[in-house]
Amino acid sequence: MIYFMLHLVAIIVNSQTGCAEVSTRLPIGGLFNSKTLPNSALAFENILKIGTTNAYHGKLIAAQVTDSYSTALEMCANTSSDDGIVALVDARPTNGICDVTCSICNKLNISHLILGWQPPATLENDMYSFFYHPSPEIISRAFATLIKTLNWDKFTILYEDEGSFIRLQEIINTWPYKNDQILFKRLDPNGDNRETFKYIFKVVHMSYHVLDCAVDNVKTYMEQMTEVENSTQYQSFILTALDAYTINLEDLADFRANVSTLHLTMPNDIRWIDKDMSNYNIRLETALTADALGHLDKAIRSMLMEIEDQEEYSRRLIPIADPPSLCFMKSKEYEEAAWPQGAALRDALLKTTYKGFTGNVNFDKYGKRTNFVLHYSKLSNESQFIYVGKWDYKTDTLYTEKDITERSSAKSSKSVIRIVSRKGKPYFDFSNETTTFRGYAVDLIDKIFEHMRNNGKDLKYEFYRVSGDDYGHPIAGTKKWSGLIGEVLDHNADLAICDLAITSERNALVDFSTPFMSLGIGLLTKEPEPEEPDMFSFIKPLSLDVWLYLATIYIIVSFVLLICARMSQDDWVNPHPCNQNPENLQNIWSLYNCMWLTMGSIMTQGCDILPRAVGSRWVAGMWWFFALIVTASYTANMSTFLSASRRSNDLQEVSDLVDQNSISYGTVDNASTYRFFETSNDTLYKKLWNVMKSARPTVFTTSNEEGRDRVLRSEGKYAFFMESTSIEYYMQRFCSLKMTGGKLDSKDYGIAMPKNSPYKRGIDNAILALQESGELLKLKTKWWEKEDNALDCKKTETEENSGSVQMKNTSGIFIVLASGGLIGFLVAIIDFLLHAKKICVTEKVSFKEAVVSEWNASLDPRALHRLAAPPRSAAPSTASPSRERSQSRAVSVLRAATSFINFDEIY
């Protein structure tokens, strides 16, 4: 069957080039060895046997050796004795050099048609060499464009030999240095590579790979990958072999990775098809062999027709010189033996354009293939490579012409989407009596997959709880992660959902869906306990020592005023202005009156008596100035104090945490908020992080619930940084909790999934649809405000925020007033009783009679006057009159001296 197919190739080539017969057939040769494909040599032979319509004839040279020198000796033996050739189709690998055979061809003007993938380094100087395989820099440029089109962020290059660095040079050179570095891993074609694959998949968690290897080894590598990784649907591969699309992968049903490739030939090309061989694909080397012969045939015809058209050869046979044998010669002998028509054939090959199985065959002036198209194919669910687009040489653009279902989306009968979460209300919860999961995350997943089912994707899924309820953080000493991220990286879970924030560190390892909730970091604190009313808050505008100094100076100034008033003659006045020569002078400034003046002054009430002398007035004036300052200061401080007392004394902003040490604060250990402070460059957040990191005991917790409980127990001595959505949830259920300050940042919650997940597009579309329909808002209202909420914690404005002075802050003033009034009343009673006692002695009546008599005379509210000495019930006393006014001069002087120290006497 293969032979018949190749014979058909020869017939097709002949039918494409046999548009005009020529009378001369030129000899050509085909060089093959053990490193070339058998079908390529077979195709060459069959094309030579098609008959006399070709412009050439020749033979196949199957070299028994592979080294350059021995091959040249065999070529000499096969082209000697008038058996030379005008062109050599060379299918051998060149290894980047123009070997002995290549060099001899160029010296003898023999066209050397190279089919290998690596062009000789001297190709631009080898005028008679033609490189039919597209150059590796062009091919690698096409693959670099494919990588950009697929939006790969990092990838692995899996290679077998050092030639990969030549074949993939543009991929390596054009990769941005700011991106993650490319991981290079060498594969052993004859060995076990499972440890290498295990490292790539399980340790460094790479999902994108460029596989540069021989076509025959691709299937073996894929089998080993399947043994290492059960979830190959999260892997993507680019096969760089240009005929990789010919691989049959139907028996690798468990290999579900996405596979893309570029190729020159088309699978099941109509020109290859026969009713008995429609499923056969021709390898690239064989196709290049056929194209080289077809292009050569067309070029020879063009050359011969051009010679026939020349006037000197018209109507005559064309004199074509015999080609030389390809043997070792001296330098001058090469020039003498060179084929005269070699330059004409070379020019014809450069000018001739041929449409072959590998597309357009034409060359630049250096003999390199140009203006070709690479076909773009993907591996389908049915393990067949399906054409989806093409790469254009001129524009370096990859055009996608149709979409196909990715192989990773292939549904397996045993495939159930595993969704991992962590216990934490309101996102994911369950009771100990049942394994029925409930929560916001469960309802959201139900809504998402309901939307996907409505779009024709009936997927099964199940939840499970992650061990340790950990979000996930790097495990020290390894490249593994714990928690939810670790489950996704290890492909134990297909999706991870909870209050999982999207961060750059996580996003570098896994993919996230479109965010389903936006939030920021807030500070959870506890409402301060109501303070006991301070009844004597009016004392606080002045400190205790100021009050004590004020009382002391009040007494001192009263004594100073007393002394000055007694010493100054102007304060001694005539008690009887009508008497120009009074025997006695009167001074009203007793200590009692001095203290009354100073008291009235500082109370801003004044006094009915004032000093007359310069000295006493100066003292009084200075006291009034002092009283003015003190009173103004007290009034101003009282206003400030009342305003401050209405403001809360607890934290108002996050910045308030920096300059205090009474309140500790923390966050969940190794969570996204922890990383936010750890990596922040903001000065404030750096200070907060340094305090948290050095705090002992630790201020970090294992969960939000632990942080919430610590805030409740701490009585305002601990604050907790967490996501604002969680704070809102707790505030609905614990009325004493509140969020202090605003949001420190802006972040989103998303559903985590492995890189290259086949479910990402469907989940993204579902979340956007739920957002547009308002379902996301309904779910949040349900789980934040209604479910598991028996309290109504809506905050109301208290009296403290109304701006008015409250009774609890001023009740002390009323107490002082009541106390002062009571003391004055008691003093008045004592004074009344003492006066009654004096009347009792003076009037010779009983104490009771004196009290009753004075009571009746003094406390009649209708009477405004009373007798100076009201009648008593007893007989008058026979003692000397109590108010005797006739006194001697000596007695008056003595009484005046006595009154100086008599503090209670009032004149």
Side-chain angles (χ1 to χ4, degrees), residues 757-778:
S757 173
Y759 312 116
K760 186 177 188 310
R761 178 180 295 181
I763 291 175
D764 288 347
N765 292 336
I767 291 176
L768 291 175
L770 293 174
Q771 187 176 23
E772 293 171 357
S773 64
E775 288 296 328
L776 292 183
L777 181 59
K778 291 180 181 178

Side-chain angles (χ1 to χ4, degrees), residues 149-163:
T149 303
L150 295 176
N151 293 320
W152 283 11
D153 54 354
K154 58 181 179 180
F155 58 92
T156 306
I157 290 183
L158 306 172
Y159 66 98
E160 289 180 334
D161 55 63
E162 303 301 330

Side-chain angles (χ1 to χ4, degrees), residues 39-102:
N39 287 347
S40 300
L42 189 57
F44 182 86
E45 281 189 311
N46 288 337
I47 293 173
L48 291 178
K49 295 177 182 178
I50 62 174
T52 59
T53 56
N54 278 349
Y56 52 78
H57 68 89
K59 59 182 176 180
L60 180 144
I61 303 172
Q64 303 300 316
V65 293
T66 57
D67 66 283
S68 177
Y69 182 77
S70 299
T71 301
L73 293 178
E74 289 195 7
M75 286 298 302
C76 181
N78 283 279
T79 57
S80 299
S81 303
D82 298 327
D83 206 8
I85 56 176
V86 298
L88 176 65
V89 178
D90 191 351
R92 299 172 306 140
T94 63
N95 297 321
I97 61 173
C98 182
D99 63 0
V100 177
T101 301
C102 170

Side-chain angles (χ1 to χ4, degrees), residues 267-526:
N268 297 328
D269 193 300
I270 189 63
R271 292 168 294 173
W272 299 94
I273 293 177
D274 182 76
K275 63 180 181 179
D276 296 325
M277 45 182 263
S278 59
N279 292 326
Y280 287 93
N281 294 317
I282 300 302
R283 296 283 295 276
L284 178 60
E285 183 185 291
T286 305
L288 289 174
T289 302
D291 283 355
L293 290 173
H295 182 244
L296 180 61
D297 181 84
K298 189 174 180 180
I300 292 176
R301 291 174 182 276
S302 175
M303 180 193 71
L304 295 178
M305 292 178 65
E306 183 177 347
I307 293 177
E308 283 182 345
D309 290 341
Q310 294 179 10
E311 183 178 354
E312 62 270 23
Y313 295 118
S314 60
R315 302 180 183 277
R316 295 190 303 162
L317 292 177
I318 302 173
I320 299 296
D322 293 332
S325 59
L326 304 183
C327 297
F328 289 100
M329 302 178 186
K330 295 180 180 180
S331 297
K332 291 184 179 181
E333 293 177 350
Y334 284 121
E335 296 176 3
E336 294 174 357
W339 188 45
Q341 281 76 33
L345 180 56
R346 175 185 178 275
D347 292 340
L349 286 170
L350 290 175
K351 295 177 182 179
T352 301
T353 299
Y354 174 73
K355 181 69 173 180
F357 296 108
T358 59
N360 294 324
V361 180
N362 59 304
F363 300 93
D364 61 14
K365 61 181 180 179
Y366 300 114
K368 288 185 178 181
R369 184 88 174 261
T370 62
N371 196 23
F372 56 89
V373 172
L374 290 176
H375 307 291
Y376 174 32
S377 293
K378 290 184 177 182
L379 190 63
S380 67
N381 295 343
E382 293 76 24
S383 299
Q384 299 292 331
F385 279 96
I386 306 299
Y387 172 83
V388 295
K390 64 181 180 180
W391 175 84
D392 187 77
Y393 173 90
K394 295 180 179 179
T395 61
D396 187 24
T397 304
L398 189 67
Y399 299 98
T400 302
E401 299 177 3
K402 65 178 181 179
D403 292 329
I404 67 168
T405 302
E406 296 281 1
R407 181 175 176 83
S408 60
S409 301
K411 184 180 178 182
S412 174
S413 59
K414 59 181 181 180
S415 61
V416 176
I417 299 175
R418 303 195 72 210
I419 305 173
V420 64
S421 188
R422 60 180 294 276
K423 185 174 182 179
K425 293 181 178 181
Y427 301 97
F428 187 74
D429 191 26
F430 58 91
S431 60
N432 294 328
E433 295 79 14
T434 177
T435 56
T436 302
F437 301 111
R438 61 190 298 271
Y440 177 87
V442 177
D443 285 359
L444 177 59
I445 289 294
D446 291 341
K447 292 288 186 181
I448 289 174
F449 280 91
E450 180 182 352
H451 181 274
M452 295 174 70
R453 279 194 297 270
N454 294 336
N455 288 275
K457 296 181 180 180
D458 188 11
L459 301 173
K460 299 178 181 179
Y461 58 93
E462 63 182 15
F463 282 93
Y464 75 96
R465 178 186 179 186
V466 66
S467 176
D469 290 326
D470 186 14
Y471 293 99
H473 59 273
I475 300 175
T478 69
K479 293 187 177 181
K480 290 182 172 292
W481 278 61
S482 63
L484 297 175
I485 301 299
E487 291 292 300
V488 174
L489 286 176
D490 293 337
H491 297 161
N492 296 326
D494 299 292
L495 303 173
I497 181 173
C498 65
D499 49 338
L500 188 64
I502 303 174
T503 65
S504 58
E505 185 181 24
R506 292 171 179 170
N507 197 46
L509 300 169
V510 299
D511 278 339
F512 280 93
S513 67
T514 297
F516 61 82
M517 190 177 294
S518 297
L519 58 141
I521 296 175
L523 182 63
L524 180 68
T525 59
K526 186 180 180 183

Side-chain angles (χ1 to χ4, degrees), residues 619-638:
V619 172
M622 289 299 99
W623 174 250
W624 290 342
F625 177 76
F626 173 79
L628 173 67
I629 301 301
V630 171
T631 304
S633 300
Y634 177 84
T635 304
N637 284 352
M638 173 62 82

Side-chain angles (χ1 to χ4, degrees), residues 33 55 110 169 485 518 582 698 703 748:
N33 63 12
I110 304 300
Q169 55 184 293
I485 301 299
S518 297
T698 180
S703 65
D748 302 296

